[in-house]
DNA sequence: GGAGATAGTGATTGGTCACTAACTTTGCTC
DNA sequence: GAGCAAAGTTAGTGACCAATCACTATCTCC
């Protein structure tokens, strides 16, 4: 297998391990085991553990946009927003994607506290780009986009805490979360702008 | 100093250290140093590192309610919601409070992935209670409370990523975040229910 | 003043982990 | 099939860390 292909599989494995156990809680040994390669070999493919984490985080944000884009291609405004909301709700099943985001947030903060903000700069740039892309897709409404991301963050937290989707805590998300009765909206985006 | 007083100072120190560096990234040595006692003594006061983390997490959620309660005493409905939103925005300065929450979320997930859900059960109970208390305070509106928490989670993420409050990314939070022009609302709560 | 309880420390240990150095294997090209 | 580069491994190192053990100091009550 070429180094480039190996790097790809390392990133995929790293997303899973880092999402589940965080930066400090993940050993390079665990990543290597998942890839099926010896642990020292990771250091031939990446400059260090931090570089693997950064690559996993970038992948995760790119993948999030890919999900949004795929769900909303050809749509605009409220329709696009609803489609992306629904797509994000679908990620609740695939919790690695959501948790890798959370791990990125806390790791960026930790790095900044430690006096380094390199990963923070990267994360803010990527996150800002994601925000702008979503904003364009829904038609430029900043407040609506902010609300969209707000609900996304709450979903992350509820998934992390392990509230099952039947739990009452999900009741406030329209009726999409609890029983899948799609009314074409998710979050409160449609209601808000219709109000 | 009595053991009880020491435990209190350990919890306070632990919130800061865990908030900045996470569970795995925080050494008991670092907590002990901040408290001003020897590292082994922590294990006289608490059963283990996990017990310190749990105590810090509980404290953090209690403190969050305390902030909400203090800000909204005597108020109801939209006024209470606005006051609590404003109070939460004030915590942006005091990022340890917000980051300890985030660390709790990722740690709960990690514990569940590791097959233990003890801290998860505690966290869900406390978080659910916080949600219910806020809901009562704002008058029972589930959708509005959900929205309130959603914006709170987005604030956590933006703080973690280190977006300065002047950054455009905060523009979608009414006009409160950017320039402090208090219009009596925060997030979109007032607009939504008024719509 | 001594007995018991409470507060607190120094030394240590078994274990983990990121990372390195040196070596081997595999596949390609002429 | 020799030469070579890329892919991959085994063995090892220094640092760190949660938890334990055995010990000391201080206070209180009789």
């Amino acid at each position: 297998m070429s180094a480039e292909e190996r790097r790809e599989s390392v990133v995929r494995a790293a997303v899973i391990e880092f999402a589940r156990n965080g930066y400090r809680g993940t050993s390079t040994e665990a990543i290597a085991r998942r890839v099926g390669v010896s642990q020292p070999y990771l250091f031939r493919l990446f400059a260090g553990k931090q570089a693997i984490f950064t690559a996993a985080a970038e992948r995760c944000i790119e993948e999030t946009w890919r999900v949004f884009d795929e769900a909303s291609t050809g749509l605009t405004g409220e329709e696009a927003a609803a489609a992306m909301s629904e797509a994000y709700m679908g990620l609740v099943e695939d919790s690695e994607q959501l948790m890798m985001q959370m791990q990125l947030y806390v790791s960026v903060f930790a790095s900044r506290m430690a006096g380094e903000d390199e990963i923070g700069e990267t994360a803010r740039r990527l996150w800002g780009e994601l925000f702008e892309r979503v904003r364009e897709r829904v038609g430029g409404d900043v407040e609506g986009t902010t609300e969209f991301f707000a609900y996304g963050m709450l979903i992350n937290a509820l998934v992390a805490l392990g509230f099952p989707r039947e739990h009452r805590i999900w009741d406030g998300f329209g009726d999409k979360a609890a029983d899948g009765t799609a009314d074409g909206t998710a979050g409160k985006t449609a209601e808000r702008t219709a109000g």
Side-chain angles (χ1 to χ4, degrees), chain A residues 74-92:
Chain A
L75 304 177
T76 54
E78 292 303 329
E79 282 182 341
M84 288 191 286
S85 292
E86 188 166 11
Y88 200 76
M89 278 300 303
L91 289 178
V92 169

Side-chain angles (χ1 to χ4, degrees), chain A residues 13-182:
Chain A
V15 168
I16 294 173
E17 292 295 330
F18 283 130
R20 292 185 182 173
N21 305 114
Y23 181 72
R24 304 296 292 258
T26 298
S27 65
T28 53
E29 173 67 33
I31 298 172
R33 203 162 37 231
R34 184 171 289 275
V35 175
V37 84
S38 72
Q39 178 261 352
Y41 188 51
L42 297 185
F43 294 87
R44 293 268 168 113
L45 300 170
F46 293 88
K49 187 184 180 181
Q50 183 67 56
I52 301 177
F53 183 82
T54 303
E58 290 181 5
R59 166 64 51 89
C60 176
I61 296 186
E62 288 165 9
E63 181 67 12
T64 301
W65 169 246
R66 205 189 58 74
V67 168
F68 287 159
D69 185 38
E70 195 172 276
S72 66
T73 307
L75 304 177
T76 54
E78 292 303 329
E79 282 182 341
M84 288 191 286
S85 292
E86 188 166 11
Y88 200 76
M89 278 300 303
L91 289 178
V92 169
E93 308 299 326
D94 173 24
S95 53
E96 263 88 23
Q97 175 89 4
L98 306 185
M99 289 310 298
M100 183 69 215
Q101 276 184 45
M102 298 286 271
Q103 299 291 356
L104 175 61
Y105 303 148
V106 299
S107 293
V108 164
F109 187 81
S111 295
R112 196 161 67 256
M113 288 295 110
E116 317 146 20
D117 200 31
E118 202 178 305
I119 191 177
E121 286 170 28
T122 305
R124 283 190 293 278
R125 183 173 48 76
L126 293 172
W127 208 93
E129 286 170 12
L130 178 64
F131 187 94
E132 283 306 312
R133 283 171 166 172
V134 169
R135 190 170 75 88
E136 283 173 31
R137 185 61 56 96
V138 301
D141 178 17
V142 177
E143 279 81 8
T145 309
T146 301
E147 187 176 37
F148 175 83
F149 276 86
Y151 277 94
M153 294 300 134
L154 180 55
I155 289 171
N156 290 354
L158 297 182
V159 166
L161 286 171
F163 283 108
R165 275 186 333 195
E166 312 83 54
H167 194 283
R168 296 168 35 252
I169 211 86
W170 291 97
D171 288 355
F173 286 83
D175 47 14
K176 175 172 299 300
D179 54 26
T181 306

